Amino acid sequence: MSTDTPSADAENVADADLETLQERVEDLEGSLADLEAEDDGKKLTIIATKGTFDMAYPPLILASTAAAFDWEVVVFHTFWGLDILHEEKSKDLKISAVGNPTMPMPNVLAALPGMDAMATKMMERKIDQNNTATIEELIELSLDQGVDLQACQMTVELMDYDEEDFYEGVTTGVGAATALQHLAESDVQLLV
Amino acid sequence: MSETFDVTETLDVKGQSCPMPVVKTKQAIDALEEGDVLEVLATDSGSMSDIEGWAEGTDGVTLLGQADEDGLYTHYVEKTA
């Protein structure tokens, strides 16, 4: 802010300043418009770490629904979460009967052989009766809608999995840095 | 309760549960033209709140109306862009 007394020279300077200022305002307006355009869509990143039947559902349901909102969606699967993307294992995910307070039996019985299989069967029957989508259907649906299902490379190697074990369309060769980048860019971040 | 709309297409998701009514509505809307109206028939009671929320949070769609008659939930969604 200048408090100089006006003179012919000062007026010339003021004109030049005004021009620079106008250019600067136009630049800023441009960047603001770019930012607003970028900020238009929302983004969701989920870190899926669990590979039990019941814990496979929440990330997939949220991911496919967010995609229906036209959000950009990334699900980063790590540790047991990888089993959700594993074509064979995803069809055979189990519920744990032990430590599950909703099971109608004490833990000492739940620990008996065959109890996990029984609990899983019960849940599968419920899902079938209720016409709830299967894990496989939700994966296909998510991929169809452009959800980026990622398999953490470090745990792929740790679990001795192969790229071919996963559903077609799954992103491999990604690590924690990629996950953090997506998390930082997201409006909603979840760890499941 | 029984408002009438000029329906372009009907999507039947009766018997299907979350997230299918919303996801299939979105897919059906994508296949329509601007100005078209999609009628969605569902039996999932959660679809009342879910489709309303989806329409509110999604650009280019307007929820024209919803009806609940004896466990049949009908939704009318217009594609506006």
Side-chain angles (χ1 to χ4, degrees), chain A residues 24-41:
Chain A
R24 181 118 181 83
V25 167
E26 277 163 26
D27 277 356
L28 284 170
E29 277 174 347
S31 341
L32 186 65
D34 286 350
L35 274 176
E36 278 173 348
E38 257 177 50
D39 202 38
D40 206 23

Side-chain angles (χ1 to χ4, degrees), chain A residues 61-99:
Chain A
I61 289 179
L62 290 173
S64 53
T65 307
F69 276 79
D70 280 330
W71 293 11
E72 186 185 344
V73 188
V74 175
V75 190
F76 184 86
H77 296 74
T78 185
F79 282 85
W80 292 274
L82 280 179
D83 287 0
I84 303 169
L85 301 182
H86 193 287
E87 212 168 342
E88 247 169 72
K89 286 181 184 270
S90 69
K91 291 164 188 158
D92 196 28
L93 300 178
K94 298 268 186 285
I95 284 184
S96 175
V98 177

Side-chain angles (χ1 to χ4, degrees), chain B:
Chain B
M1 192 57 114
S2 55
E3 293 164 88
T4 48
F5 300 101
D6 194 3
V7 172
T8 316
E9 207 175 280
T10 297
L11 171 72
D12 185 351
V13 286
K14 292 200 287 283
Q16 299 188 43
S17 54
C18 176
M20 289 309 180
V22 165
V23 172
K24 294 214 166 152
T25 297
K26 153 75 175 164
Q27 289 177 332
I29 281 286
D30 280 349
L32 292 178
E33 302 290 327
E34 190 181 329
D36 288 352
V37 175
L38 178 73
E39 177 184 51
V40 184
L41 307 176
T43 49
D44 171 21
S45 61
S47 68
M48 291 299 274
S49 165
D50 276 5
I51 290 187
E52 188 187 358
W54 169 78
E56 219 175 270
T58 306
D59 288 336
V61 293
T62 303
L63 183 65
L64 300 177
Q66 291 180 302
D68 162 11
E69 282 160 64
D70 301 323
L72 177 69
Y73 304 95
T74 314
H75 315 269
Y76 298 94
V77 184
E78 184 185 352
K79 181 165 179 168
T80 51

Side-chain angles (χ1 to χ4, degrees), chain A residues 149-162:
Chain A
L149 298 177
Q150 305 187 335
C152 162
Q153 193 60 34
M154 184 274 279
T155 36
V156 168
E157 282 159 29
L158 191 70
M159 305 278 195
D160 266 330
Y161 290 161
D162 199 77

